[in-house]
Each structure stands twice: as C-alpha cells, then as structure tokens.
Amino acid sequence: MNIVVCMKETPSTTAEKSFSPDMRLERRKEDAIPNPFDEYAIEEGLRQQEKHAGSTVTILCMGPATATDTVRKALAMGGDRGVLVSDDALAGSDAISTAHVLAAALKKIGFDLVIFGNAAADAYGGIVPSATAELLGAPLLSYASKLDVDGSTATIERQADIGYNTVAAPMPTLVSVVKAINEPRYPSMKGIMASKKKPLDTFALADLGIDPATVGAAGAREKALSAEKVSTQRKGEIFIGNEGAADRVVAFLVEQKVL
Amino acid sequence: MSNDVWALAEIPSGKLANISLQLASKAAELAKALGGEPAAVAMGAGARDAAQDLGACGVSKVYASEGAVYGEYLAQPYVATLAALIQQHQPKLVLWGGTNFGRDVAARVAARLGLGIEYNVNEVALDGDQIVMSVPAFGGAQTVKMAFQGEGTKLLGARQNAFPTVRTGGSATVEDVAAPTAPANGAKITGTFGTEGAQEAGHLGKASDGHDIWMPAASRAKLEEAQIVVSGGRGLGGPQGFAQIEDLAAALGASVGASRAAVDAGWIPYGHQVGQTGKTVKPTVYIACGISGAVQHKAGMGTSSLVIAINKDKDAPIFGFCDLGIVGDLNVVVPQLTAAVKQRKGQ
Ligand SMILES: Cc1cc2nc3c(=O)[nH]c(=O)nc-3n(C[C@H](O)[C@H](O)[C@H](O)COP(=O)(O)OP(=O)(O)OC[C@H]3O[C@@H](n4cnc5c(N)ncnc54)[C@H](O)[C@@H]3O)c2cc1C
Ligand SMILES: Nc1ncnc2c1ncn2[C@@H]1O[C@H](COP(=O)(O)O)[C@@H](O)[C@H]1O
C-alpha cells in the first residue's frame, strides 16, 4: 500500500509570533516544527505500514525551502521518504491553493491512502483535507478516531452527534485523523540518525505543472488588512477564602442576570 | 452576482443546530445592509421543517432538499446540492459554521468552484462594498482583519456563538430542491454505535478499540453551544472530582468542559477538552475549577463573556483574565456553590 501523510510546518507553540509589515506570519526557521496534529497522522501511517506488509510511507509537505529540516523531524518518527513542494511563488498561499498543490503532488507521487491531521495549529483552518479530496475527486473519511484498511476498503470510526458512526470508502481514499486515534511515538536516537539519510525530493511548481500566478499571494482569494493585540477588559474582582465564596459567586451570577 | 446572503444550515439527527440560527440571523442582517435577499440552504431529514425556525431568524427563503442520500454519506451529497445552488443563484456570501460538517462541506464547495473561503470569523463588518472579517490569530492573542479579493461568491466560516441568534419572528418560503444521486466513490456511513442510553449523563461504555464513549445529558447543550460551561482541571485531583463538576453543571444547566491535563490523565474523554487542541467555547459564563489558565487553555475559552475562576493558588494565570476570581479550595467551594444555586433555583 502506498501511504502518503500530509504534514504542515508550523511555528512551535511557544515561539514568539508576529506579522511582517505586509501581513505575513514571520517565520523563524529555528521555531518550526511539524504541526502537532500531524504527529497523529504520521503515527497512523506508520501503524498501517506495520499492519500491511510491503507498504511505503511518504511524508508530503508544502513549505519554504528550509522545511527540509521539518520533514526530517517527521521522518525521525519513521517513514521511507519525504517530498517537499517548495517554490518562491508559493509564499502567501491560501488553503485552496495549498489544496491544489497537494492534489497535484499526490497525483505525481501516486497513493492508495492519504492521511491528514484534522487542522494545523497555526490558524486552525481544518479545510485543506476536504478541499484536497474534492480536487482529486476522492472520498474523505474525516475526523477518524480509528482506521482499518481491509483489501480495497478503508473504514473509520468518528464521533457523531449522538454516539459514533462507522464510515467506509473505496480506496484510494483520503483520511483525516483526530487526537483520539493513537499515541504518537517519540523519535528514537536511531530514528533521528536514520532520518538524515532518507531520500527527500523537492518539487517546484514547474514540476507539478502549476501556473505560479494561480497560487501564493498572487492567487490568494483573501487578504489580511491589519492585526491588533486583543485587550481583554475583564473586571478581575478577586475574592479570597472559602468562607462566603459560594455566596459571592451566586450574587455575581444574579447581578449578571444568569441566575 | 446578486447581493443575497445565505446561511448553510446544519441538521444533525434531524434537529436544527443552534449555529444555524446564528448564521440565519447574521445573513438577515447582512442582506439588509447589502440590499439583497437573505436565504438559507437546508439539506437532509428535517430540512423543510427547519424553514420555520430559520424564517423566524429573518431569512425569507429556504432552499430545502430532503433525501435518504444525505443521511448515508459524509459531505459529498451536500456539496453537490450547495455547489449547484450557488452556481445557479450566485449569492454574494454564504455563511457556514465552524463545525466538522461546515468545514467538510464548505471546503469542498470552495475547491470545486474556486471560491474565496475564510474561517474562524468572530465578527463581520461592511466597509462600503468590502466585507471585513475579524479572525483570531496566535491563540486569540491578536485579532486579524481579513477581506476577500476577486470575483464570485465568498464562503464565510463563523465560529460557534460568534453571532447572536436574533428571532425577528418572520417566516420563510420553502423552495424544494431535488436531492443528488449517490456519489460514485463516497464516504458511506455503514453503522452507528454508542447511542444506547444517550439520555443519561455520563459514561456509556467503551468503543471497539477501548476508548470511552461519554455522552452529555440529552437535555444539556453541546459544549460548543452551551450558554454556561463548568470546566475542571488537574486541581480536581482525580476522575472522581468530575462528579462535583457534573453536579454544579446539572444545577446550572451547564455543559462540562476540561483542561488538557484532566483529559490526558484520563479523567474525562477528549470530547470535553477546551483549548487550542480541543474545543472553542464562547458561553455567557465560563467557570474554571482547578485550572491554572495556560495560554493553550485560554485559546479555547478566552472570548467567553464572563469568566469565573476557582483556584487555590492566588498567582495562577487564570486570575489574570477572569471577571470573578475565587482564591479557595474547590473541594469546599464547588459543593457549597452547587447547594446555593439549587437553593436559589428552588430545586
Ligand atoms: C501544543 C499544546 C497544545 C495544548 N492544548 C491545550 C488545550 O487544548 N487545552 C488545555 O487546557 N491545555 C492545553 N495544553 C496544555 C496547557 O499548556 C496546560 O498544561 C494545561 O492547560 C494545564 O491544565 P490544568 O490547568 O488543569 O493543570 P495545571 O496547570 O496543573 O493547574 C492545576 C491548577 O489547579 C489548582 N488547584 C489544585 N488543587 C486545587 C484545589 N483543591 N482547589 C482549587 N484549585 C486547585 C492549582 O493551583 C493549579 O493552578 C496544550 C499544550 C501544548 C504544548
Ligand atoms: N502546506 C501543507 N503541507 C502539507 N500538508 C498540509 C499543508 N497545509 C495543510 N496540510 C494538511 O492539512 C491538514 C489541515 O490543515 P489546515 O487546513 O491548514 O488547518 C494538516 O493537518 C495537514 O495534514
């Protein structure tokens, strides 16, 4: 089985983040990590590979040229090779452009099973997986908390409004996973060493036959106008001690017309 | 293109979701300002019946499409219907809600038709013809103002509870829309489990892979839709601590949330996690019990109208963004509060 995991590079949670004057996220290479949600996708790819002998796992990332380091961080968990799509014209791409690029790369790589995280920890979009599925004319088994592949069918469990659903799709299919699906492994020392030698191809837009004018800032359908710090003006009343605390809360709820 | 503004309705288990009323209310407001018609698109079982509530929130037309196919597949049939309607009527804006359903459907429609799409929108303002949206960035520490560019219908994704429900008391005409045929290679729903006893609060059992199935009481709102949320963190000291939280939530008619520390400890299932890697809530009142107030937790509850914190550490960060902070022992204060609320409500 040809398994591809889509992994986005995101700034680490604790990194100082800011916008540049042209309203792009200022990315510092040393702060970049694989999107924490994509660790579940990578782990699931590796578990499927362990279950299905002869499978390969490719980590696919669209990002800046320096994201090779981030792809290698992902490959330290496991997997056979990395593919980075990188091109200066991609800077400022919106989610739909990203989906176009991933869809074209997936066609070029070939796939039976593509695994996504359910969202990226930078902007919490969560729309790239289904947009990519649409462009490939493929099904998406979204928000999977369990995945089984049997012959030419993939089946997931996902939380429904009440209880859970099982959902099945014919392969090739795309899947997006939630945190509940597994516990990602930590890269071992051996894994980190091995990742340095794994094949890592870089594709430019020309390799995918994509017109640079349709992606990146040039093709974006949305633009950022300005950013401002959020000031929360909360009352911040502090009540010290257990004695009378419950009554103060009730009085507060009554004052606020909640009770 | 018209100046019409649509709301994408969501009808899980045949019951219109609260977010749909919020979107319908906003669609009505924006359509009025733009001089277009407000409408809603409702698909699946209950679509025609949903027109009454959607109309009461100000939309004058509901495109209703019913058919078994909607209950059988994820996203794809909804996408087929919505994309065809958009192509036919060219509304200016389609509002969709930031739920799993909303993301799956809206992203496919945007990809299919090449439309602009924005998500996690908290506020919308019109600046002449330009639609200016406020979107949180960096875990809510900043607000970014976004605008669409280019031609065509735009898809605007709103956060849960971003817009209030405004019942103006109008009514909508229903335009029936035929359901599409089943997708050739669809994601097909093949079964449902874990619904037994869903009326009861609490633990329903285990899924086939061992994870817990936990259901809030049917009478209680979903976490994202709740007007009051009572959340517990590591300060509860163990899973039994959630019994106190449950009691207080029941007395207040609230939903139960949790910090990641409590979820990771296995005290409560992941579906209750509030924060950067959990759910985003925006209730009228958020009561944090034994939660320190890490930035990642704040990212999921920082826009609640009122925050009450109960924590024994006076230096806990949560006291930096609450309206009422109780420096005390939750094991004493929470049961007393439950009793006081019950007394006040005459329960
Ligand atoms: C990538 C990433 C994503 C994350 N996502 C999330 C997320 O989505 N949601 C989330 O919540 N966290 C998230 N976290 C974790 C977050 O950083 C914190 O570790 C977590 O929120 C802490 O949970 P807590 O407040 O319950 O525990 P603690 O920080 O341990 O706080 C417990 C508090 O309880 C108080 N306490 C103890 N006993 C009592 C008592 N008897 N009475 C009153 N108070 C008492 C203590 O004073 C303390 O302040 C994330 C972290 C990372 C790195
Ligand atoms: N630039 C990218 N490269 C590879 N995968 C991506 C990229 N952007 C998004 N994804 C995938 O899509 C998921 C959702 O991302 P998003 O829609 O950006 O929140 C992520 O968890 C990744 O699996």
Side-chain angles (χ1 to χ4, degrees), chain B residues 29-44:
Chain B
E29 179 196 319
L30 290 172
K32 192 170 172 205
L34 289 161
E37 189 185 4
V41 180
M43 296 170 277

Side-chain angles (χ1 to χ4, degrees), chain B residues 111-308:
Chain B
R112 181 179 293 195
L113 303 178
L115 308 178
I117 180 166
E118 191 54 54
Y119 42 82
N120 295 339
V121 173
N122 268 329
E123 271 172 49
V124 190
L126 294 176
D127 181 4
D129 234 13
Q130 181 162 266
I131 296 153
V132 181
M133 299 161 283
S134 299
V135 178
F138 309 146
Q142 293 197 23
T143 295
V144 181
K145 293 222 186 316
M146 299 288 304
F148 290 115
Q149 0 187 44
E151 296 303 306
T153 299
K154 309 296 183 196
L155 308 181
L156 187 158
R159 304 229 299 183
Q160 300 260 10
N161 295 336
F163 310 139
T165 296
V166 184
R167 287 189 181 268
T168 48
S171 70
T173 56
V174 174
E175 186 170 320
D176 285 308
V177 179
T181 52
N185 56 348
K188 189 167 202 276
I189 298 170
T190 52
T192 302
F193 64 96
T195 53
E196 321 77 37
Q199 313 313 352
E200 311 283 330
H203 193 226
L204 289 182
K206 291 201 177 284
S208 52
D209 64 344
H211 62 251
D212 293 286
I213 305 172
W214 181 282
M215 266 298 134
S219 59
R220 226 176 268 170
K222 283 208 276 192
L223 191 51
E224 305 94 308
E225 298 187 342
Q227 288 308 310
I228 307 181
V229 173
V230 183
S231 271
R234 201 192 321 256
L236 292 178
Q240 71 290 349
F242 272 99
Q244 299 179 41
I245 299 296
E246 278 284 337
D247 287 348
L248 176 56
L252 287 166
S255 289
V256 173
S259 73
R260 175 159 166 184
V263 170
D264 284 351
W267 301 346
I268 187 164
Y270 171 63
H272 292 262
Q273 184 175 316
V274 172
Q276 184 180 314
T277 45
K279 293 192 166 140
T280 301
V281 299
K282 198 186 171 191
T284 312
V285 185
Y286 186 88
I287 308 182
C289 308
I291 293 178
S292 60
V295 281
Q296 295 91 352
H297 188 76
K298 189 181 176 190
M301 46 65 72
T303 57
S304 305
S305 307
L306 295 167
V307 176
I308 300 176

Side-chain angles (χ1 to χ4, degrees), chain A residues 6-8 35 38 60-62 98 102 116-120 124-129:
Chain A
C6 289
M7 184 274 297
K8 185 177 193 178
N35 169 29
D38 294 345
L60 169 61
C61 176
M62 170 187 129
T98 302
L102 294 179
F116 293 80
N118 70 315
Y124 291 90
I127 59 179
V128 167

Side-chain angles (χ1 to χ4, degrees), chain B residues 8-99:
Chain B
L8 168 61
E10 178 170 352
I11 321 176
S13 325
K15 192 174 165 285
L16 193 64
N18 279 349
I19 179 97
S20 307
L21 301 177
Q22 298 165 7
L23 298 178
S25 303
K26 195 53 149 193
E29 179 196 319
L30 290 172
K32 192 170 172 205
L34 289 161
E37 189 185 4
V41 180
M43 296 170 277
R48 298 189 100 252
D49 288 347
Q52 197 173 348
D53 275 334
L54 292 166
C57 291
V59 300
S60 51
K61 184 187 270 181
V62 173
Y63 297 99
S65 184
E66 296 196 357
V69 69
Y70 294 111
E72 290 167 355
Y73 292 89
L74 301 183
Q76 286 147 297
Y78 301 88
V79 172
T81 302
L82 180 58
L85 282 170
I86 290 175
Q87 277 186 307
Q88 192 186 342
H89 299 282
Q90 313 261 324
K92 186 177 181 74
L93 259 187
V94 179
L95 311 182
W96 54 277
T99 60

